[in-house]
Structures are given as structure tokens and as C-alpha cells.
Amino acid sequence: MFSFIWWIIGFYWVSAGGQELTHDAPQLYWLCIVFLAFDVFFVVFCVALACVIGIAVCCCLPCIIAILYAVADQEGASEEDICQLPKYKFRMIEDSEKFDEISGPFSGIMTECGSDPPVEHALSAEDAVSFRA
């Protein structure tokens, strides 16, 4: 904003009183011309930089999106993660059986495979659903 205001005032000052300034204060006149030239260079540089950044974003954005899509395209867990999960066997509790350690309306038991001693978890009636083929 300051650059724009200086450009308007400085250009008006140089164009309106240029001949008088060259005779009365030549150093001030040339200093003003140099500042105006730097201002023009700065504006051209900023516009060129904005164009380069805009073109770079337009050209590189599809590549960045493709890379992110390829990285995020993994579906589900890896085989290693799945193998690390604990495995359970499920069995329904019959009415005649009683789960001694926990009292309550339980309908199923999950037994962890590969644990010694076997670890059992009681399941409530709403969580214990058996699918029979």
C-alpha cells in the first residue's frame, strides 16, 4: 500500500515539476526517479512472483493430490497388524450351564486362544449372537 501511494505521489511530483526540480534540486529529482524505479521493480517482481506461485500451484497441485491419494489408498489393516490381534473362540452358554465366576444374564463365553491358563470373557445376551448355517 505504501508503495502504491508513493508511486502516485512521486510520479505526480516528478511529472508536474520535473523541469523546475532539475534546475533547483537535481539530486532530489534523481533520488525520486531512483525510488520510483525501485518501486516499479518491486511491483514487477511481486507480480511475477505471484504468477510463478500461481502457475506452480496449478501445475503441482494435481501431482500432490495424486501422491496423497496413492498414500491414503490403503484399505484396512495390514497382515502384520491382523496377526498381532488376539484370537478368541466363542461358545453359547446353555440354560443348564452356569458361569460360576460372574453372575448375571450372560449368554456366551469367549475363550482366548493360545493363552495358558485359558482366559475367558462372559458376553451378555445382546452381544452373544450365534450364527448357525
Side-chain angles (χ1 to χ4, degrees):
M1 189 67 173
F2 177 75
S3 176
F4 179 71
I5 293 171
W6 166 247
W7 172 254
I8 299 295
I9 293 172
F11 187 74
Y12 175 75
W13 187 45
V14 168
S15 63
Q19 294 298 329
E20 295 172 6
L21 283 174
T22 55
H23 296 294
D24 296 339
Q27 291 177 340
L28 182 61
Y29 174 78
W30 288 110
L31 181 66
C32 184
I33 294 293
V34 168
F35 280 146
L36 286 173
F38 278 132
D39 192 38
V40 168
F41 173 74
F42 178 71
V43 168
V44 168
F45 177 75
C46 288
V47 169
L49 186 64
C51 289
V52 167
I53 290 173
I55 290 170
V57 166
C58 290
C59 292
C60 295
L61 192 60
C63 297
I64 293 170
I65 290 173
I67 290 170
L68 290 175
Y69 181 75
V71 169
D73 196 29
Q74 297 176 356
E75 292 185 21
S78 68
E79 287 295 324
E80 296 147 5
D81 292 337
I82 292 173
C83 290
Q84 290 178 359
L85 293 173
K87 294 168 184 64
Y88 293 93
K89 286 185 181 179
F90 172 76
R91 71 179 170 92
M92 294 289 291
I93 297 176
E94 301 295 328
D95 290 337
S96 60
E97 288 184 77
K98 193 176 193 181
F99 195 65
D100 295 330
E101 295 162 5
I102 302 174
S103 61
F106 295 108
S107 297
I109 297 175
M110 287 185 353
T111 306
E112 188 172 353
C113 298
S115 63
D116 191 32
V119 178
E120 293 183 336
H121 301 283
L123 294 175
S124 65
E126 63 188 32
D127 291 336
V129 177
S130 175
F131 294 103
R132 296 183 187 183

